[in-house]
């Protein structure tokens, strides 16, 4: 039986049909760039200090001096969470005392911000921080808000993969798009922080799930070099485009509610895509729905103006009859990833590598957001640095073995992070360059892994495996904010942790199967014939295994 790529080779690789699928699927990923980093602006903490009502009778000198001066990072700044006792200050003001001359301010008793806070509007008109007063005793709610979003993305990635394998790629893609749009819009009407994070959690369920569904659908519709282009550059550029558009939109809309409206309402434009984007023919074939798969390919042939054979998937008809007799309607689930020894070891290694690159990616992205005093410029720089990384990943996918590419990116991402602690304090630009190079390499690995996963697993398990492994990556994103807080104990501890995990993951990646120039596996048996170095824990001797036939299109 011919493989899928050979069967539909008559369509060509880059006809009108493939071009339409490529660009429409890339467009569906734009909202992921918005969603992943919207909280950079929504949950940013503006400068603030204790509110002192204008009705309070104080002299101008005392009004300026009522906020204590603290030393933060070797700089003198006004306290954000305390003020001198208002009744004492009022009494001294009435008596005509001059602060700093007649009264030593350090001798005065302080109190909490009893009347709330006054927030600076130099950068933002409002954020959820100023809206719900998430400062001082409630400042823990700011990083927790970010974690809630990633927890939603974690569960969404896990369940959407299984739903996609069971009900199809297309329904899950559009369901997650609807979840993103509706619940991003619903956040505007939040009247409390609790209400906001509940809606944010549901919103997170759809965010990265959409990315996974679009990635798998595109990798199954497209073939050959175009599939590599889509899996590496296409999806990543779609994400980066949304990421780079975010600071531009936020620059002109500095109120958090206006920003959410601007990011949600335009997503309604994706609804007509339902009548253009097809279901994955590969998935339909794996479900025995050969007629539906043929109908899609015949429509594609008309778009590309080529003649389709009279019986496109004739080999699949006999295969379907054979499978019906032996094992009718085989359904795969997440436990199949652990049931077979080769699947189990591969899945555990892929999860570790994805956990590492995702945690490093978000940690370095959040950290490099402080490159510039202007958060809009910081966000844009952080987005732009990913473009050369995505191009590098595309070149690696096109010309180099997958395993070597992933290992190299992990090593080049981890080593610079170790070297940062060796840089003298007066060479801050060198530290910055090392961190940027580390992010470049990690982003390259981040992009490589999603394309790699879609090539490792068979069609019946592909989306379940992608969703499961993506769940491991979401755990990494949930841990990232806490990892950055380790700098409280040691400035370089986050870098050492990331560097160590990167090198450990590079070592384990040696035992992944090679997929370069191999056709996508349709069954678990085909996956098990891939060339690999056997993992020591399996207790098997190293053997030479047969390699699947080459896919001429790849």
């Amino acid at each position: 039986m011919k493989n899928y790529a050979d069967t539909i080779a008559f369509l060509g690789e880059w006809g009108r049909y493939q071009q339409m699928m490529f660009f429409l699927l890339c467009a569906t990923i734009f909202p992921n760039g918005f969603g992943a980093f919207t909280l950079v602006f929504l949950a940013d903490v503006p400068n603030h200090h204790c509110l002192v009502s204008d009705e309070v009778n104080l002299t101008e000198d005392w009004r300026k001096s009522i906020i204590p001066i603290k030393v933060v990072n070797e700089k003198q700044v006004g306290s954000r969470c305390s003020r001198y006792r208002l009744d004492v200050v009022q009494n001294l003001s009435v008596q005509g005392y001059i602060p700093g001359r007649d009264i030593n301010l350090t001798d005065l008793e302080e109190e909490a911000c009893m009347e709330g806070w006054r927030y600076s509007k130099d950068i933002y008109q409002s954020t959820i921080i100023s809206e719900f007063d998430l400062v001082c005793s409630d400042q823990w709610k700011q990083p927790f808000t970010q974690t809630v979003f990633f927890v939603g993305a974690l569960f969404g990635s896990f369940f959407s993969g299984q739903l996609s394998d069971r009900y199809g790629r297309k329904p899950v893609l559009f369901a997650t798009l609807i979840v993103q749009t509706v619940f991003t819009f619903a956040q505007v009407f939040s009247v409390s922080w609790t209400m906001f994070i509940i809606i944010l959690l549901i919103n997170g369920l759809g965010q990265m799930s959409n990315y996974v569904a679009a990635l798998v659908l595109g990798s199954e519709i497209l073939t050959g070099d175009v599939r590599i282009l889509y899996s590496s550059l296409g999806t990543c550029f779609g994400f980066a485009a949304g990421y780079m558009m975010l600071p531009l939109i936020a620059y002109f809309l500095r109120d958090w509610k206006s920003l959410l409206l601007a990011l949600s309402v335009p997503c309604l434009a994706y609804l007509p895509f339902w009548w253009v984007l097809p279901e994955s023919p590969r998935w339909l074939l794996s479900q025995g729905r050969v007629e539906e798969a043929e109908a899609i390919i015949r429509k594609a042939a008309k778009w590309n103006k080529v003649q389709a054979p009279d019986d496109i998937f004739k080999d699949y008809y006999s295969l379907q009859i054979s499978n019906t007799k032996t094992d009718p309607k085989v359904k795969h689930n997440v436990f199949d990833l652990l049931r077979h020894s080769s699947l189990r070891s591969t899945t555990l290694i892929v999860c570790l590598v994805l956990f590492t690159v995702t945690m490093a990616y978000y940690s370095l992205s959040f950290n490099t957001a402080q490159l510039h005093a202007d958060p809009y410029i910081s966000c844009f720089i952080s987005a732009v640095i990913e473009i050369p990384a995505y191009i590098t990943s595309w070149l690696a996918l096109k010309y180099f073995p997958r395993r070597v590419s992933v290992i190299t990116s992990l090593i080049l991402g981890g080593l610079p992070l170790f070297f940062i602690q060796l840089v003298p304090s007066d060479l801050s630009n060198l530290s910055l360059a090392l961190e940027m190079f580390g992010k470049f390499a990690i982003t390259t690995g981040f992009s490589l892994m999603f394309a790699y996963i879609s090539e490792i697993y068979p069609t019946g398990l592909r989306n379940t495996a992608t969703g499961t492994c993506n769940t491991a990556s979401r755990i990494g994103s949930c841990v990232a904010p806490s990892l950055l807080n380790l700098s409280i104990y040691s400035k370089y501890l986050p870098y050492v942790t990331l560097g160590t995990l990167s090198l450990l993951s590079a070592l384990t990646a040696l035992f992944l199967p090679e997929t370069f120039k191999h056709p996508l596996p349709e069954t678990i048996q085909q996956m098990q014939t891939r060339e690999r170095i056997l993992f020591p824990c399996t207790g098997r001797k190293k053997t030479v295994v047969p390699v699947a036939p080459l896919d001429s299109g790849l």
Side-chain angles (χ1 to χ4, degrees), residues 175-187:
T176 53
L177 276 171
I178 291 171
V179 168
Q180 289 180 72
T181 302
V182 171
F183 287 94
T184 299
F185 181 79
Q187 286 176 275

Side-chain angles (χ1 to χ4, degrees), residues 231-284:
S231 299
S232 54
L233 283 187
T235 54
C236 294
F237 274 16
F239 183 89
Y243 190 1
M244 288 188 289
M245 290 168 62
L246 174 62
L248 179 64
I249 298 172
Y251 179 83
F252 292 102
L253 300 173
R254 304 200 175 197
D255 172 74
W256 70 277
K257 292 185 177 181
S258 300
L259 178 59
L260 286 175
L261 285 173
L263 297 180
S264 59
V265 175
C267 292
L268 294 174
Y270 290 119
L271 292 180
F273 286 23
W274 174 267
W275 290 275
V276 182
L277 291 174
E279 181 56 87
S280 165
R282 285 181 185 268
W283 179 82
L284 290 171

Side-chain angles (χ1 to χ4, degrees), residues 318-329:
S318 58
L319 182 66
Q320 181 186 3
I321 294 172
S322 174
N323 286 343
T324 301
K325 293 178 180 178
T326 58
D327 191 9
K329 289 291 180 180

Side-chain angles (χ1 to χ4, degrees), residues 348-541:
L348 292 176
I349 293 171
V350 168
C351 286
L352 173 62
V353 174
L354 267 178
F355 172 85
T356 299
V357 296
T358 305
M359 181 170 63
Y361 171 78
Y362 282 104
S363 296
L364 295 176
S365 294
F366 295 151
N367 199 44
T368 53
Q370 308 303 319
L371 291 175
H372 196 279
D374 189 323
Y376 304 102
I377 294 178
S378 298
C379 185
F380 188 76
I381 291 174
S382 184
V384 167
I385 199 68
E386 298 186 3
I387 299 299
Y390 294 146
I391 295 175
T392 301
S393 73
W394 171 66
L395 293 173
L397 286 169
K398 187 172 177 62
Y399 297 109
F400 298 101
R402 308 295 189 250
R403 193 165 51 203
V404 172
S405 300
V406 169
I407 292 171
T408 302
S409 66
L410 287 167
I411 293 174
L412 293 180
L415 287 179
L417 302 182
F418 280 117
F419 294 148
I420 289 176
Q421 60 186 318
L422 305 177
V423 177
S425 58
D426 57 334
L427 296 178
S428 57
N429 287 338
L430 179 57
S431 296
L432 179 60
L434 289 171
E435 187 170 345
M436 284 291 91
F437 185 80
K439 188 195 174 184
F440 162 80
I442 289 296
T443 304
T444 301
F446 189 71
S447 174
L448 284 170
M449 281 304 299
F450 282 102
Y452 193 11
I453 294 171
S454 67
E455 297 177 348
I456 290 177
Y457 292 96
T459 301
L461 271 172
R462 188 169 294 123
N463 221 64
T464 293
T466 304
T468 301
C469 295
N470 195 45
T471 299
S473 75
R474 293 306 108 200
I475 295 175
S477 63
C478 293
V479 172
S482 300
L483 178 68
L484 290 177
N485 286 337
L486 293 178
S487 60
I488 298 173
Y489 307 101
S490 172
K491 180 180 179 181
Y492 302 109
L493 188 54
Y495 296 119
V496 173
T497 304
L498 291 175
T500 302
L501 278 174
S502 295
L503 297 182
L504 176 63
S505 298
L507 178 63
T508 60
L510 281 169
F511 304 101
L512 289 175
E514 184 54 69
T515 64
F516 184 53
K517 291 189 175 180
H518 293 175
L520 290 180
E522 301 293 342
T523 65
I524 293 177
Q525 289 72 25
Q526 290 178 9
M527 175 189 169
Q528 291 174 329
T529 62
R530 291 290 173 81
E531 179 186 3
R532 68 164 70 227
I533 299 173
L534 294 182
F535 196 68
C537 294
T538 61
R540 299 177 184 176
K541 295 181 180 180

